[in-house]
Amino acid sequence: MPPAASLVALLHGPDQPGLVARVAGWIFERGGNILHADQHRDMDAGIFFQRIEWVPALGDASADAAAFRIFAQSLGMSARVASSAERPRLAVFVSKADHCFHDLVLRWKAGEFACELAAVVSNHADLAPVARGYGLSFHHLPVNAATKPADEARQLALLASLDIGLVVLARYMQVLSADFLRQLGRPVINIHHSFLPAFAGGKPYHQAAARGVKLIGATAHYATAILDDGPIIQQDVARVTHRHGVDDLVRKGRDLEKSVLAQAVRWHLENRVLVYGNKTVVFD
Amino acid sequence: MPPAASLVALLHGPDQPGLVARVAGWIFERGGNILHADQHRDMDAGIFFQRIEWVPALGDASADAAAFRIFAQSLGMSARVASSAERPRLAVFVSKADHCFHDLVLRWKAGEFACELAAVVSNHADLAPVARGYGLSFHHLPVNAATKPADEARQLALLASLDIGLVVLARYMQVLSADFLRQLGRPVINIHHSFLPAFAGGKPYHQAAARGVKLIGATAHYATAILDDGPIIQQDVARVTHRHGVDDLVRKGRDLEKSVLAQAVRWHLENRVLVYGNKTVVFD
Amino acid sequence: MPPAASLVALLHGPDQPGLVARVAGWIFERGGNILHADQHRDMDAGIFFQRIEWVPALGDASADAAAFRIFAQSLGMSARVASSAERPRLAVFVSKADHCFHDLVLRWKAGEFACELAAVVSNHADLAPVARGYGLSFHHLPVNAATKPADEARQLALLASLDIGLVVLARYMQVLSADFLRQLGRPVINIHHSFLPAFAGGKPYHQAAARGVKLIGATAHYATAILDDGPIIQQDVARVTHRHGVDDLVRKGRDLEKSVLAQAVRWHLENRVLVYGNKTVVFD
Amino acid sequence: MPPAASLVALLHGPDQPGLVARVAGWIFERGGNILHADQHRDMDAGIFFQRIEWVPALGDASADAAAFRIFAQSLGMSARVASSAERPRLAVFVSKADHCFHDLVLRWKAGEFACELAAVVSNHADLAPVARGYGLSFHHLPVNAATKPADEARQLALLASLDIGLVVLARYMQVLSADFLRQLGRPVINIHHSFLPAFAGGKPYHQAAARGVKLIGATAHYATAILDDGPIIQQDVARVTHRHGVDDLVRKGRDLEKSVLAQAVRWHLENRVLVYGNKTVVFD
């Protein structure tokens, strides 16, 4: 017998006494069993954050989810509720670099990501054979500066037709416009190959080599209208020395990019990431 | 106005549905406000663990603490309850090495440890001047193999007279007997200079050099009757190469020992460490 | 124009004054240009170690290599000399787990390893399709306790026929016999999923969970007749908490195993690893 | 018998064939014994770097040092030569924060730094008692915006009179003017409490908290006329989460600042740091 479906709620809103007890009490009264609950208070801002996971009583989980949203609203809280029975549909955007692409696909095949890998989308055709070798559907949608609005419209139409719930930019070398992000209305996770906010923009490994830093980094963040400025989900670094030229930074950086992006995607899919302002709370 | 005293409970016992809701409900009904709550389930063993911190309603915090203990018992749970208003009294045991000693004292003076540093105890007189330079009370209690039972009895009498709640072995080079630990009846935190279970026993840096490992480690654990075998609280490692001789391992190891021991002591004093079997749950 | 072929020598032997100058002088007099030179002295043991890389004068690099070996002998040194023009032939041994296998193959395709990936050898047939999908030659050679000597003879015959210079055990779940290793006469690199010497032998993640360690590790080492005891090339660790069950340790450990094994293989192929006694000097 | 004094040369200049052999040959011909030699080539810039350490033949080490400087010049190289018999005189600049100060002094007392700790200089009087408690000479030299040139002149006079060879800014909260640095003519090492180039300038932990980064850092660098922009010697980072407020970042950051600054000072004193352009080569 598979484990019963559970619900996960991510809540946040103005802090007030008794929130932990009231949320737990609501679930308990409806016969639910709390598996995990984790909360955080931003004392300065007076905001309460909670991730709570529970197995609802036998019956309609989606009814429970809907009822919880109304209950959260009555507490003045924003709530996102997801069921472990629903697997979001993922689109991976790539260009020519393939290391994050292979890494994501192999982890997905190994069962590390609770999602459907519904599509690979690229502005180049280079990765079509390997994508199809993995049995994945590959969509070649070129993007040009002159025709970008139309190109993005085609991307949006594809994503809508596939009911995509999450877009991952796996070293996709095009900037998504603010319009695209607004119309998409779904989260987009990007990997930037530096320790942001250092070395935003192009050629970060060249920038790092020029500055003579002793650590290189990678940052996974939600894409926003401002380049390399969205809420950070995960970051990591690796030590480098004067012996490492730009080529070595690129090579070592690939390992960082893979692990940082994979961790961010995994946390997102497990409903562990709550965005507020330009920051994230990661309940890990 | 200082922040109101809070209570912290560390609970564990057989898992059952509704525990989160019942604990939160109990606090809420008595007018308490939950600041933090963190729980964990060991699914295989069927054990529930919780750390919960709350500000009780105005009145007698120690009455609330006592009432909570009875409540926990009614749930079949073991509970340890501490008030932020009480600062445990700490004894630091040292021999001749002084790096962990200086580190602990300076952190305590910087306000990192919520305790009273009540006594420095040593089997040697070497650190008496620096201890007194810090304004600390220093007790020279020699220990010899031939007179160990009597020596330990003197130590126990001192600790009892000072109402010591925690003993920290800061590179104290004597093994405490099982009898000593049982009669003391208070936690003892030790720092071992290896990544346990590798290189237990004497001269771990020499053992590490002989084996040719690429990382050295340090482990903070609760002392038990079996040497270097107690529940692990914190561990860390540092990279070494063939260029590092034993002297370099000792030097690099000092930094590890300091930070690992300090972190373990801090977590213990914040009531974040729950022991079960021979393992710890650290609610950090 | 490709870069000129270079020679790399790994030397070691009894220390004596003037070695650095004599080696550099020998190369200089024959018109060679030293690219890198790195040396180390084990002061206690009185041993000198050097890795030196140079571009020989135009002409026969293999003659230079042979001459250098004789020169090194005249200094009382053991020397291994390799040319960047020769790419050793690699055999990867696998069983059913595929994470290290995919990682090695993808790194090899990305140009990270200076070798020919000549064969994939397995005691199971499971990975045959993916190996062939990568365009690699796959050899299914079952191994049974009852027929092990004959099974190993078949493996040795295959490796000899393919002129294999390095065997990598990528989570290969069979112990190679001392006889096999002696007859093979070529280095074998193994990945063990613990921080050796802790948790040698079977099920190291279960051992780690039972002991309650706060870090898990992986170790790449040369295989010797004694299980999990050979010279260590590389090690790394990752932090775990009580929240991580054995399944999580296995998942997190996969990432460690991949990166530690890949780093060890890369160092070996770049002739950066010198074995002496049961330890390694890694000139990185 | 103490070990014989050794010489360390740090060389750099235009690359040319035969440099390694010529330098080693020069030392060998004069009867010197090379202990360590490490070189690096910046292939793009065509620059050769070397650190070489040797025991000169019995006689006048300072004559050997002078002769080596002339020899290096004849190769078109810049050379800095230091003798292990000379211990540079160090001045530590502090303000009110004491963590790096205690750390440096205790490491110096433990023998980790090959220098004389000649003076503690501060723009505040707060640390006078602890400095004197350590037996150190403390100089209170206030600095005000209105009188800065005169204040810096007093500092320069003091440093000259004490023959200071290295200034370490241990969380000294004043910017040294370009004039000061030029007139001093000796290296100045600063610790900045961020991962530069991110969060240069004031209140870096507040900046880090506002941006929501997942790692905080510290950077030790040589001070130059441009604030927080000099050649980086060492950097490190520590992981933080949403649970860490600014106070926690400050606390965790103290540990980073201590270890990063101490490592940089140690490397500098061992003549392992070669500056070129705005970068460093660290021969560790």
Side-chain angles (χ1 to χ4, degrees):
Chain A
M1 200 179 74
S6 61
L7 293 173
V8 175
L10 288 170
L11 284 169
H12 72 290
D15 194 17
Q16 52 181 293
L19 283 172
V20 173
R22 287 164 76 181
V23 172
W26 187 91
I27 292 169
F28 187 55
E29 281 160 25
R30 295 171 66 93
N33 187 27
I34 296 171
L35 298 179
H36 302 287
D38 197 1
Q39 43 275 328
H40 170 62
R41 280 182 168 77
D42 183 324
M43 299 292 193
D44 298 329
I47 306 178
F48 173 86
F49 303 88
Q50 188 176 44
R51 180 184 187 273
I52 191 159
E53 183 171 357
W54 74 98
V55 178
L58 292 178
D60 190 353
S62 66
D64 254 49
F68 189 88
R69 281 185 203 99
I70 293 166
F71 165 67
Q73 215 168 8
S74 77
L75 297 173
M77 298 272 141
S78 305
R80 190 148 61 89
V81 188
S83 165
S84 67
E86 296 156 23
R87 290 163 62 91
R89 294 170 61 77
L90 174 70
V92 176
F93 276 45
V94 296
S95 290
K96 295 184 173 183
D98 64 357
H99 54 285
C100 285
F101 168 70
H102 283 297
D103 187 70
L104 290 172
V105 174
L106 290 168
R107 288 178 192 275
W108 174 68
K109 284 178 176 278
E112 293 189 18
F113 296 141
C115 68
E116 299 305 323
L117 210 171
V120 181
V121 178
S122 182
N123 55 332
H124 294 284
D126 303 55
L127 298 185
V130 288
R132 288 174 188 147
Y134 281 126
L136 298 171
S137 130
F138 183 90
H139 305 267
H140 179 206
L141 296 181
V143 177
N144 292 296
T147 57
K148 188 151 183 174
D151 298 337
E152 290 198 338
R154 264 192 303 278
Q155 293 176 330
L156 286 166
L158 174 70
L159 299 175
S161 75
L162 293 170
D163 190 23
I164 294 300
L166 173 68
V167 171
V168 174
L169 308 181
R171 296 298 310 276
Y172 178 66
M173 302 303 278
Q174 292 282 333
V175 177
L176 303 180
S177 73
D179 255 5
F180 178 96
L181 292 169
R182 191 172 45 242
Q183 289 184 55
L184 178 62
R186 301 296 168 90
V188 175
I189 296 178
N190 184 43
I191 181 73
H192 183 75
H193 39 312
S194 83
F195 180 76
L196 289 174
F199 310 132
K203 294 197 169 291
Y205 293 128
H206 289 77
Q207 293 184 54
R211 180 61 186 92
V213 290
K214 301 302 186 186
L215 299 165
I216 56 167
T219 303
H221 64 93
Y222 289 111
T224 60
I226 303 172
L227 185 67
D228 299 333
D229 188 58
I232 293 170
I233 307 170
Q234 172 69 331
Q235 301 187 287
D236 205 357
V237 297
R239 196 158 290 278
V240 294
T241 76
H242 59 276
R243 297 193 188 283
H244 295 97
V246 169
D247 286 355
D248 299 299
L249 302 194
V250 168
R251 175 178 54 79
K252 288 178 78 89
R254 286 199 297 259
D255 285 350
L256 280 178
E257 296 162 33
K258 288 187 292 188
S259 65
V260 167
L261 178 59
Q263 180 67 81
V265 169
R266 183 176 163 88
W267 277 335
H268 176 90
L269 290 170
E270 293 179 349
N271 297 293
R272 298 187 178 280
V273 189
L274 199 161
V275 177
Y276 79 111
N278 201 37
K279 299 164 67 169
T280 63
V281 170
V282 178
F283 293 105
D284 69 333
Chain B
M1 199 179 75
S6 60
L7 293 174
V8 175
L10 287 170
L11 285 170
H12 74 291
D15 194 17
Q16 51 182 292
L19 282 172
V20 173
R22 287 165 76 180
V23 172
W26 187 90
I27 292 169
F28 187 54
E29 280 160 26
R30 294 173 65 95
N33 186 28
I34 296 170
L35 298 179
H36 301 288
D38 197 359
Q39 44 275 329
H40 170 62
R41 279 183 169 76
D42 183 324
M43 298 292 191
D44 297 328
I47 305 178
F48 173 86
F49 303 87
Q50 187 176 45
R51 180 185 187 272
I52 191 161
E53 184 171 356
W54 72 99
V55 179
L58 292 179
D60 191 353
S62 66
D64 255 47
F68 189 88
R69 278 184 205 101
I70 293 165
F71 165 67
Q73 215 167 7
S74 76
L75 296 173
M77 297 272 140
S78 305
R80 191 149 59 90
V81 189
S83 164
S84 67
E86 296 156 22
R87 291 163 62 90
R89 294 171 61 77
L90 175 70
V92 176
F93 276 46
V94 296
S95 290
K96 295 184 175 184
D98 64 356
H99 54 285
C100 285
F101 168 70
H102 282 297
D103 187 70
L104 290 172
V105 174
L106 290 169
R107 288 179 191 275
W108 175 69
K109 286 180 175 278
E112 291 188 20
F113 297 141
C115 69
E116 299 306 323
L117 209 171
V120 180
V121 178
S122 183
N123 55 333
H124 294 285
D126 304 54
L127 297 186
V130 289
R132 288 173 187 145
Y134 281 127
L136 298 171
S137 130
F138 183 90
H139 304 267
H140 179 206
L141 296 182
V143 177
N144 292 296
T147 58
K148 188 151 182 175
D151 299 335
E152 290 198 340
R154 263 193 304 277
Q155 293 175 331
L156 285 166
L158 173 69
L159 298 176
S161 74
L162 293 171
D163 189 23
I164 294 300
L166 174 68
V167 172
V168 174
L169 308 181
R171 296 298 310 276
Y172 178 67
M173 302 303 279
Q174 292 282 331
V175 176
L176 303 180
S177 73
D179 255 4
F180 177 96
L181 292 170
R182 190 170 47 241
Q183 289 184 55
L184 178 62
R186 300 296 168 89
V188 175
I189 297 177
N190 183 42
I191 180 74
H192 182 74
H193 38 314
S194 83
F195 180 76
L196 288 174
F199 311 132
K203 294 199 170 289
Y205 293 128
H206 289 76
Q207 293 184 55
R211 181 61 186 92
V213 290
K214 302 303 186 185
L215 300 165
I216 56 167
T219 303
H221 63 94
Y222 289 112
T224 60
I226 302 172
L227 184 66
D228 300 333
D229 188 58
I232 293 170
I233 307 169
Q234 172 69 332
Q235 301 185 287
D236 205 357
V237 296
R239 196 158 290 278
V240 294
T241 75
H242 58 275
R243 297 193 187 282
H244 296 98
V246 169
D247 287 355
D248 298 299
L249 302 194
V250 169
R251 175 179 54 77
K252 288 177 77 88
R254 286 199 298 258
D255 285 351
L256 280 178
E257 296 162 32
K258 288 187 293 187
S259 65
V260 167
L261 179 59
Q263 180 67 81
V265 170
R266 183 176 164 87
W267 277 335
H268 176 90
L269 291 170
E270 294 179 349
N271 297 294
R272 298 186 177 281
V273 189
L274 199 161
V275 177
Y276 78 112
N278 201 37
K279 298 164 67 167
T280 63
V281 170
V282 178
F283 293 105
D284 67 332
Chain C
M1 201 180 72
S6 61
L7 294 173
V8 175
L10 288 170
L11 285 169
H12 73 291
D15 196 16
Q16 50 182 294
L19 283 172
V20 173
R22 287 166 76 180
V23 172
W26 187 91
I27 292 169
F28 186 53
E29 280 160 26
R30 295 172 65 94
N33 187 28
I34 295 170
L35 298 178
H36 302 288
D38 198 0
Q39 44 276 328
H40 170 62
R41 279 182 168 76
D42 184 324
M43 299 293 192
D44 297 329
I47 306 178
F48 174 86
F49 303 87
Q50 189 177 42
R51 180 187 187 271
I52 190 160
E53 184 172 356
W54 73 99
V55 179
L58 292 179
D60 190 353
S62 66
D64 255 49
F68 189 88
R69 279 185 203 101
I70 293 167
F71 165 68
Q73 215 168 6
S74 76
L75 297 172
M77 297 272 139
S78 305
R80 190 149 59 91
V81 189
S83 164
S84 67
E86 296 156 22
R87 290 162 64 89
R89 295 170 61 78
L90 174 70
V92 176
F93 276 46
V94 296
S95 289
K96 295 184 174 182
D98 64 357
H99 54 287
C100 285
F101 168 70
H102 282 297
D103 187 69
L104 290 172
V105 174
L106 290 168
R107 287 178 192 275
W108 174 68
K109 286 178 175 278
E112 293 189 18
F113 296 142
C115 68
E116 299 306 323
L117 211 172
V120 181
V121 178
S122 183
N123 55 333
H124 294 285
D126 303 54
L127 298 186
V130 288
R132 289 175 187 146
Y134 282 126
L136 299 170
S137 132
F138 183 90
H139 305 267
H140 179 207
L141 297 181
V143 178
N144 291 298
T147 57
K148 188 150 183 176
D151 299 336
E152 289 199 338
R154 263 192 304 278
Q155 292 176 330
L156 285 166
L158 173 69
L159 298 176
S161 74
L162 293 171
D163 190 24
I164 294 300
L166 174 68
V167 171
V168 174
L169 308 181
R171 297 297 310 275
Y172 178 67
M173 303 303 278
Q174 291 283 331
V175 176
L176 303 180
S177 73
D179 256 3
F180 178 96
L181 292 170
R182 190 171 45 243
Q183 290 185 55
L184 178 63
R186 301 295 169 88
V188 175
I189 297 176
N190 183 42
I191 180 74
H192 183 75
H193 38 312
S194 83
F195 180 77
L196 290 174
F199 310 133
K203 294 197 169 289
Y205 293 128
H206 289 77
Q207 294 184 54
R211 180 61 186 91
V213 290
K214 301 303 186 186
L215 299 165
I216 55 167
T219 302
H221 64 93
Y222 289 111
T224 59
I226 302 172
L227 185 66
D228 299 334
D229 188 57
I232 293 170
I233 307 170
Q234 171 69 333
Q235 301 188 289
D236 205 358
V237 297
R239 196 158 289 281
V240 294
T241 76
H242 58 277
R243 297 192 187 284
H244 295 98
V246 170
D247 286 355
D248 298 299
L249 302 193
V250 169
R251 176 178 53 78
K252 289 177 77 86
R254 286 199 297 257
D255 285 350
L256 280 177
E257 295 162 33
K258 289 187 292 186
S259 65
V260 167
L261 179 59
Q263 180 67 82
V265 170
R266 183 176 163 86
W267 278 335
H268 176 89
L269 292 170
E270 294 178 348
N271 297 293
R272 298 186 177 282
V273 189
L274 200 162
V275 177
Y276 79 111
N278 201 36
K279 300 164 67 168
T280 64
V281 169
V282 178
F283 294 106
D284 68 332
Chain D
M1 199 180 74
S6 61
L7 293 174
V8 175
L10 288 169
L11 286 168
H12 74 291
D15 195 15
Q16 50 182 294
L19 283 172
V20 173
R22 288 166 76 180
V23 171
W26 186 91
I27 292 169
F28 186 54
E29 281 159 25
R30 295 173 65 96
N33 187 28
I34 295 170
L35 298 179
H36 301 288
D38 197 0
Q39 44 276 328
H40 170 62
R41 279 181 169 76
D42 184 324
M43 298 293 190
D44 297 329
I47 305 178
F48 174 87
F49 303 88
Q50 188 177 42
R51 180 185 188 271
I52 191 160
E53 184 171 355
W54 74 99
V55 178
L58 293 179
D60 191 353
S62 66
D64 255 48
F68 189 88
R69 279 184 204 101
I70 292 166
F71 165 67
Q73 215 168 6
S74 76
L75 297 173
M77 298 272 139
S78 304
R80 190 149 59 90
V81 188
S83 165
S84 67
E86 295 156 22
R87 290 162 63 90
R89 294 172 59 78
L90 174 71
V92 176
F93 276 45
V94 297
S95 289
K96 295 184 173 181
D98 64 357
H99 54 286
C100 285
F101 168 71
H102 282 297
D103 187 70
L104 290 172
V105 173
L106 289 168
R107 288 178 192 274
W108 175 70
K109 285 178 175 279
E112 292 188 20
F113 296 142
C115 68
E116 299 306 322
L117 209 173
V120 180
V121 178
S122 182
N123 56 332
H124 294 285
D126 304 54
L127 298 186
V130 288
R132 288 173 188 146
Y134 281 126
L136 298 171
S137 132
F138 183 90
H139 304 267
H140 179 206
L141 296 182
V143 177
N144 291 298
T147 58
K148 188 151 184 175
D151 299 336
E152 289 198 339
R154 263 193 304 277
Q155 292 175 331
L156 285 166
L158 174 69
L159 298 176
S161 75
L162 293 171
D163 190 22
I164 295 300
L166 174 67
V167 172
V168 173
L169 307 181
R171 294 298 310 275
Y172 179 66
M173 303 302 278
Q174 292 282 331
V175 177
L176 303 181
S177 73
D179 256 3
F180 178 96
L181 292 169
R182 191 171 46 241
Q183 290 184 55
L184 178 62
R186 302 296 170 89
V188 175
I189 297 177
N190 183 42
I191 180 75
H192 183 74
H193 38 313
S194 83
F195 180 75
L196 289 174
F199 310 133
K203 293 198 171 292
Y205 293 128
H206 289 77
Q207 292 183 55
R211 180 61 186 92
V213 290
K214 301 302 186 187
L215 299 166
I216 56 167
T219 303
H221 64 95
Y222 289 111
T224 59
I226 302 172
L227 185 66
D228 298 334
D229 188 58
I232 293 170
I233 306 169
Q234 172 69 333
Q235 302 187 288
D236 206 357
V237 296
R239 196 158 289 279
V240 295
T241 75
H242 58 275
R243 296 192 188 284
H244 295 97
V246 169
D247 287 354
D248 298 299
L249 301 194
V250 169
R251 175 178 55 77
K252 288 178 78 88
R254 287 199 297 259
D255 285 351
L256 280 178
E257 296 162 32
K258 289 187 292 188
S259 64
V260 167
L261 179 59
Q263 181 67 82
V265 169
R266 182 176 164 86
W267 277 335
H268 176 90
L269 291 169
E270 293 179 349
N271 297 293
R272 297 186 178 281
V273 189
L274 200 161
V275 177
Y276 79 111
N278 200 37
K279 300 163 68 168
T280 63
V281 170
V282 178
F283 294 105
D284 66 331

